[in-house]
């Protein structure tokens, strides 16, 4: 299944932390690490965003050359990958047909433009009903909170899910800035929320649902997505 798989990555288009005016957006490593894991495994990848075209990248997720995670360094020298974030596909009108999995990277921008996006909720709900793999990391699971399963219940209800924890949000100093606490919301929806130590790698797979806790979890999330795809017929 891996060699014929195609993954849709959906990114935030939200560039500021609420009304603070401070910049945010995609946390770059949460895109680049899975992107290259998928590409290196022979999986085709499409990149979309809520608004399409240029994807805002959190400036805190890019350091001086030579000081970034390996996947970010690779991305910065890769014109094909960088073009994805300059010319991303607009979410509206996208269908799950043709994709084996959909993946939502994080970054604080996702907390504003993913949770109540009906186009996203509909797309992910249809993908789930069609047997696709759904995955998200860090704040990316914010895109799952409005998704319903085939029975009309919250997708995360009764399922094991990881995401950026309340304690990590507090340590980041943004617990009073984000519109809601992601861990708390997932618990309220009936998810079996799981986490490891703050800012350490932690990811969980519950069947076709794969989620990770923070940027350090991106690699493990990608591994679990590829594992889930390899088991698909």
């Amino acid at each position: 299944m891996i060699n014929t798989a195609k993954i849709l990555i959906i990114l935030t288009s939200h560039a500021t932390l609420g009304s603070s005016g401070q910049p945010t957006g995609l946390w770059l490593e949460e895109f680049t690490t899975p992107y290259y894991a998928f590409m290196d495994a022979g999986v085709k990848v499409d990149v979309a965003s809520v608004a399409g075209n240029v994807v805002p990248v959190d400036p805190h997720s890019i350091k001086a050359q030579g000081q970034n995670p390996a996947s970010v360094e690779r991305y910065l020298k890769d014109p094909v990958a960088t073009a994805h974030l300059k010319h991303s596909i607009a979410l509206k009108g996208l269908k799950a047909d043709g994709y084996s999995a959909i993946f939502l990277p994080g970054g604080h921008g996702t907390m504003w433009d993913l949770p109540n996006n009906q186009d996203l909720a509909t797309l992910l709900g249809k993908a789930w009903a069609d047997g696709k793999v759904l995955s998200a990391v860090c704040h990316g699971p914010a895109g799952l909170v409005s998704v319903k399963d085939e029975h009309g219940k919250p997708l995360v209800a009764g399922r094991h899910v990881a995401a950026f924890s309340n304690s990590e949000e507090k340590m980041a100093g943004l617990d009073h800035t984000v519109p809601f606490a992601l861990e708390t919301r997932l618990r309220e929806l009936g998810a079996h929320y799981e986490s490891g130590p703050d800012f350490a790698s932690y990811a969980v797979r519950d069947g076709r649902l794969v989620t990770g806790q923070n940027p350090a979890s991106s690699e493990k999330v990608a591994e679990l997505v590829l594992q889930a795809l390899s088991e698909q017929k």
Side-chain angles (χ1 to χ4, degrees), residues 130-161:
D130 289 346
K132 320 281 188 182
V133 174
L134 297 186
S135 59
V137 68
C138 198
H139 288 91
L144 300 176
V145 301
S146 293
V147 183
K148 300 291 196 295
D149 67 13
E150 58 270 41
H151 305 295
K153 296 180 180 179
L155 175 68
V156 298
R159 294 189 166 92
H160 296 271
V161 177

Side-chain angles (χ1 to χ4, degrees), residues 4-5 7 10 22 33 41 58 62 77 82 97 109-110 112 135 152 167 206 210 213 221 223-224:
T4 60
I7 295 177
I10 302 176
Q22 296 179 35
T33 296
D58 191 317
I62 308 177
K77 300 170 185 175
T82 53
D97 302 346
T110 61
W112 279 270
S135 59
S167 60
D206 191 331
V210 177
Q213 182 177 337
V221 166
E223 290 175 5
L224 292 176

Side-chain angles (χ1 to χ4, degrees), residues 7 94 110 164 197 199 211:
I7 295 177
L94 273 179
T110 61
F164 205 60
F199 300 105
T211 48

